């Protein structure tokens, strides 16, 4: 198990490396999430509009 802990510690630089990975993951999520949510809202709005037009 010492190999895993050494890998995570990365020679004393682990905190910087893993925080960089974490920040990158958060930024990517924040970049991809709004368009996906916007698409869902657009599809729902279009479905509501079509239902209104059918009546």
């Amino acid at each position: 198990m010492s190999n895993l802990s050494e890998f995570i510690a990365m020679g004393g630089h682990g905190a910087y490396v893993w925080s960089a990975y974490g920040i990158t993951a958060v930024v990517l999520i924040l970049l991809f999430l709004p368009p996906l949510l916007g698409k869902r809202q657009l599809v729902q709005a279009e479905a509501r509009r079509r239902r209104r037009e059918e009546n």
Side-chain angles (χ1 to χ4, degrees):
M1 191 55 99
S2 67
N3 288 337
L4 180 61
S5 61
E6 288 175 11
F7 173 73
I8 293 173
M10 293 194 176
H13 301 289
Y16 303 109
V17 173
W18 295 114
S19 64
Y21 278 126
I23 291 169
T24 302
V26 168
V27 168
L28 288 174
I29 289 169
L30 291 176
L31 286 173
F32 283 105
L33 196 59
L36 293 176
L37 294 175
K39 179 183 175 186
R40 180 183 299 160
Q41 290 174 352
L42 181 64
V43 168
Q44 289 173 350
E46 182 64 20
R48 283 191 302 269
R49 185 187 65 80
R50 287 184 181 188
R51 281 193 299 264
R52 277 195 313 264
E53 287 180 359
E54 287 176 356
N55 295 331

